[in-house]
Amino acid sequence: MSGERVPQHLLIRLALGPDGQVAPDIHGKAPGRGAWIGVPFDELVQAQAKGKLAGQLKRTLKAEKIDCPDDLAERIRSNLEKATLDRLGLEARASNLVAGAEKVDAAARSGAVALLLHAADASADGASKRDQSWRVGEGEEGSGKAGIKLPVDRDVLSAALGRGNAVHVAITNEHAAERVKHHLDRWLYFIGCSIAPGAASADARANAASRNANS
């Protein structure tokens, strides 16, 4: 784990329990001491296997005992996925998004889409058509601007939204899009998605950034 840094919004907090147990604190609200990390899944697994994570946390938190669960990386991944899908569900209930090809196209062409998402199993043709509608509505034809393909399929996305067969989703409120991306950006970066913010710079170095701070 290096001393380089990634953007603050991509960092994930690890909370330290009174018994020395380390747990993901995805929302950054758990009481007590904690440390912020900015490494993707694979690098976290490697750092933990080599004992680097526990050593760094001991020094940063000035703790004698650190107990990191073997599946820490998987817990973080799962929690980030849940946080993102839960957020999408909340925005759906607040009527801040539309789903379905025709509704997404209509919103996109009218310039009302702040964020466009596709299920992992969306067809290339379907995603391309929705992307084109978005570019037309934004006046950015030929720019290559495209929606984000989520790491979950239509069944998982549909369940999160409480709607049937949700393959394409358009967020129609700027603030709602920001709330979704707060979780989505960290999720994509952590699982090593190439379109995630900071992913390109992460690929260029042997170890992703790490920043630790007492809270």
Side-chain angles (χ1 to χ4, degrees):
M1 299 173 71
S2 72
E4 298 177 49
R5 302 191 177 200
V6 292
Q8 187 173 4
H9 72 280
L10 297 179
L11 300 177
I12 298 165
R13 186 174 187 264
L14 298 180
L16 180 67
D19 58 354
Q21 183 76 23
V22 174
D25 178 21
I26 300 303
H27 297 286
K29 296 180 179 180
R33 289 179 293 170
W36 296 85
I37 63 170
V39 294
F41 184 100
D42 290 343
E43 293 180 23
L44 180 60
V45 170
Q46 293 175 13
Q48 189 170 357
K50 295 177 180 178
K52 291 183 178 180
L53 176 63
Q56 182 66 48
L57 290 176
K58 283 183 179 180
R59 290 190 294 272
T60 300
L61 299 173
K62 297 178 175 59
E64 294 184 2
K65 180 183 178 182
I66 292 291
D67 184 8
C68 296
D70 293 338
D71 63 344
L72 178 62
E74 178 54 33
R75 291 188 190 187
I76 294 174
R77 186 209 62 75
S78 177
N79 286 353
L80 288 172
E81 176 180 323
K82 183 178 186 302
T84 304
L85 295 177
D86 285 351
R87 186 72 254 172
L88 283 170
L90 289 172
E91 301 303 346
R93 290 190 286 278
S95 300
N96 288 328
L97 62 78
V98 295
E102 292 184 3
K103 291 182 179 180
V104 169
D105 277 343
R109 288 183 176 275
S110 68
V113 173
L115 179 64
L116 179 61
L117 306 173
H118 308 298
D121 56 346
S123 70
D125 182 62
S128 179
K129 288 178 179 178
R130 308 299 79 80
D131 292 342
Q132 176 63 15
S133 294
W134 193 23
R135 290 193 292 270
V136 169
E138 295 294 302
E140 298 183 28
E141 293 179 78
S143 68
K145 183 174 184 177
I148 297 174
K149 182 160 283 192
L150 298 171
V152 293
D153 63 22
R154 68 186 69 195
D155 291 338
V156 174
L157 182 57
S158 298
L161 300 180
R163 304 183 183 187
N165 198 34
V167 182
H168 309 284
V169 174
I171 311 297
T172 56
N173 178 282
E174 290 286 351
H175 295 299
E178 291 174 3
R179 291 190 291 267
V180 170
K181 281 184 64 62
H182 170 70
H183 298 297
L184 178 59
D185 286 351
R186 291 189 301 161
W187 180 24
L188 295 180
Y189 177 75
F190 186 70
I191 65 175
C193 182
S194 61
I195 63 172
S201 58
D203 290 341
R205 56 183 186 260
N207 294 302
S210 171
R211 180 173 74 86
N212 297 288
N214 292 331
S215 60

